[in-house]
Amino acid sequence: MIPLSGPDITKKEIHAVVEVLKSSRLALGSKLSEFEKKIKKYTGVKYAVALNSGTAALHLIIRALGIGPGDEVITTPFSFISSSNCILYEGATPVFTDICPKTFNIDAGRIESKITKKTKAILAVDVFGYPADWDALGEIARKHNLKLIEDSAEALGSTYYEKKCGTFGDAAIFSFYPNKQITTGEGGVMVTRNKRVADLCRSMSNQGRKTKGSRWLEHVRLGYNYRMSDLHAALGMAQLARIDEILKQRQRIAEAYHALLKNVTSVKIPFSSPETRRSWFVYVVTLAQCYSRARRDQIIKSMEKSGIQCSAYFRPIHLQKHFRDAFGYRRGDFPVCESVADRTIALPFFNHLKQAEIKRTVRILSGLL
Ligand SMILES: *Cc1c(COP(=O)(O)O)cnc(C)c1O
């Protein structure tokens, strides 16, 4: 079976983790703060708090920005579920805005009609590593005095007009789940220019302790255990040290797919444009308009029967059961999102994928169209 994804782990990563195990300092040690330093340097953002998932990072940002019951957050229905769940965690309401059919990101042109007195923030996602339209989003946020949150979980290393994703809003997150560009096993990080927001996130991630000078059993606010361990941080450091090489290899694999797929008329390869650089997270092709969801699902099944794991990225968030139950959403509510979601197929994509496997994947896919 050619799997959908897989991490790129070398001896360096294994060595780094073993060193921490031998040190006996497994948590809240120097690896954690070193990893945060390296993340700050790589992204160019002033503060970073490493956490045990990207979802935890989103949750803390929502809380730190004071978003709660009665508030609305404008966001995209075409994303991984956590970019909307984090809003529900705090009793606020996600207000969906349909997406751009080319980039698959929230359509900034549709946002202003969704703004009400209750709107507190825009939470945009760099879907599949392709940067959202941060200039337009920033302008809307400023004009209406809204917070701007970046879910850059899939976009470590992506750039928008030469500026890195994760640097445009009030706060941003990256995820280090094993299918992301770099991994810590489980893990994530929040980054921000705002010291108050960073301090609040750090305190809340550590059971509500003060960021400095707290005794272990003294807690000044409601907190969680969202900390990243030093084992995970050491793995992350070893991965981050190799990020240029990792991203280059992902780029090569994407280009190999482009070359083989560009003459297959029934599929569209991922969108690209000169003003952005996509850091490759997944390789998602889109079937032509005439393909139905049932046909797409059949193609994915047939690919799997041939030993090639594929996936339908994403299922629209508004159509997930708990969103339908809570808000009464139905098919038809966000037609662009649904049309895209019905026709996308994520192909196997990871650093050890061989040219022969890419060829086989494209040959079998073409045969099914
Ligand atoms: C992966 C991902 C997350 C969540 O990250 P975890 O580390 O798995 O919690 C959030 N948003 C998007 C868009 C993601 O792809």
Side-chain angles (χ1 to χ4, degrees):
M1 186 72 142
I2 306 176
L4 186 61
S5 77
D8 177 352
I9 300 293
T10 67
K11 282 189 186 136
K12 289 177 188 158
E13 281 83 351
I14 294 167
H15 180 73
V17 174
V18 170
E19 283 304 296
V20 177
L21 284 170
K22 287 179 179 164
S23 78
S24 81
R25 186 71 198 245
L26 306 190
L28 289 171
S30 61
K31 293 294 170 199
L32 182 61
S33 45
E34 279 175 49
F35 182 51
E36 288 174 345
K37 252 189 228 143
K38 293 270 155 69
I39 287 285
K40 285 187 273 190
K41 186 147 180 256
Y42 183 74
T43 57
V45 176
K46 197 155 180 205
Y47 303 99
V49 182
L51 300 158
N52 55 17
S53 73
T55 305
L58 284 168
H59 181 200
L60 293 185
I61 289 171
I62 293 288
R63 273 189 77 84
L65 294 178
I67 294 164
D71 295 338
E72 294 177 353
V73 179
I74 293 174
T75 191
T76 173
F78 191 71
S79 175
F80 184 62
I81 193 83
S82 15
S83 64
S84 293
N85 277 351
C86 66
I87 301 163
L88 297 181
Y89 294 159
E90 290 304 314
T93 306
V95 173
F96 293 121
T97 299
D98 214 341
I99 62 168
C100 161
K102 280 197 295 203
T103 67
F104 302 167
N105 285 321
I106 193 166
D107 184 347
R110 298 177 190 250
I111 288 179
E112 283 192 295
S113 67
K114 302 280 178 148
I115 295 174
T116 71
K117 282 202 188 84
K118 297 176 177 170
T119 310
K120 286 284 149 56
I122 299 169
L123 191 162
V125 181
D126 299 310
V127 171
F128 306 150
Y130 190 85
D133 191 356
W134 293 110
D135 279 349
L137 295 169
E139 211 163 284
I140 297 166
R142 268 191 303 279
K143 182 170 156 200
H144 297 274
N145 198 22
L146 305 175
K147 302 288 185 199
L148 183 58
I149 304 166
E150 305 177 61
D151 181 346
S152 299
E154 305 179 353
L156 186 66
S158 291
T159 58
Y160 173 84
Y161 293 97
E162 269 144 49
K163 279 172 76 184
K164 282 225 169 88
C165 283
T167 61
F168 301 106
D170 291 277
I173 74 126
F174 297 102
S175 163
F176 306 123
Y177 186 72
N179 70 345
K180 301 284 155 71
Q181 285 90 337
I182 67 167
T183 186
T184 57
E186 294 278 5
V189 66
M190 69 78 58
V191 295
T192 178
R193 275 183 298 260
N194 184 320
K195 182 171 190 306
R196 196 189 60 84
V197 169
D199 283 348
L200 267 174
C201 286
R202 187 176 301 283
S203 169
M204 287 190 290
S205 76
N206 189 20
Q207 308 281 17
R209 295 182 176 102
K210 287 191 229 164
T211 48
K212 277 205 188 85
S214 211
R215 276 165 299 190
W216 187 245
L217 295 179
E218 182 192 357
H219 309 273
V220 294
R221 57 176 57 82
L222 176 65
Y224 308 84
N225 182 355
Y226 282 172
R227 296 181 307 252
M228 176 182 277
S229 84
D230 274 46
L231 292 164
H232 296 83
L235 175 51
M237 288 236 291
Q239 288 261 284
L240 194 55
R242 294 177 50 236
I243 191 161
D244 291 342
E245 160 200 334
I246 289 174
L247 296 187
K248 251 192 219 137
Q249 176 61 8
R250 293 176 90 84
Q251 175 77 32
R252 275 197 284 270
I253 291 174
E255 281 166 10
Y257 268 128
H258 297 339
L260 292 169
L261 283 164
K262 71 171 185 279
N263 300 319
V264 183
T265 49
S266 314
V267 301
K268 242 189 358 214
I269 64 170
F271 181 72
S272 67
S273 69
E275 64 270 17
T276 59
R277 194 184 73 207
R278 183 199 296 262
S279 164
W280 288 92
F281 162 56
V282 281
Y283 194 87
V284 175
V285 295
T286 314
L287 299 173
Q289 291 280 353
C290 58
Y291 286 80
S292 64
R293 179 160 40 111
R295 180 89 196 280
R296 188 273 316 269
D297 292 347
Q298 194 53 52
I299 291 169
I300 291 179
K301 259 202 202 126
S302 304
M303 295 287 286
E304 294 199 337
K305 273 202 200 116
S306 307
I308 299 168
Q309 196 186 14
C310 292
S311 178
Y313 264 60
F314 291 109
R315 286 162 198 280
I317 293 177
H318 64 283
L319 298 179
Q320 302 279 1
K321 185 172 186 306
H322 65 295
F323 276 88
R324 287 183 190 245
D325 290 350
F327 302 101
Y329 286 122
R330 274 176 304 196
R331 195 159 270 283
D333 286 341
F334 300 97
V336 183
C337 167
E338 291 164 25
S339 161
V340 167
D342 286 352
R343 292 179 293 113
T344 40
I345 304 179
L347 303 178
F349 189 76
F350 52 94
N351 274 7
H352 299 303
L353 192 61
K354 298 191 189 75
Q355 181 68 23
E357 293 173 319
I358 298 173
K359 276 196 181 144
R360 194 166 112 79
T361 299
V362 172
R363 181 165 44 77
I364 290 173
L365 176 64
S366 309
L368 291 166
L369 299 173

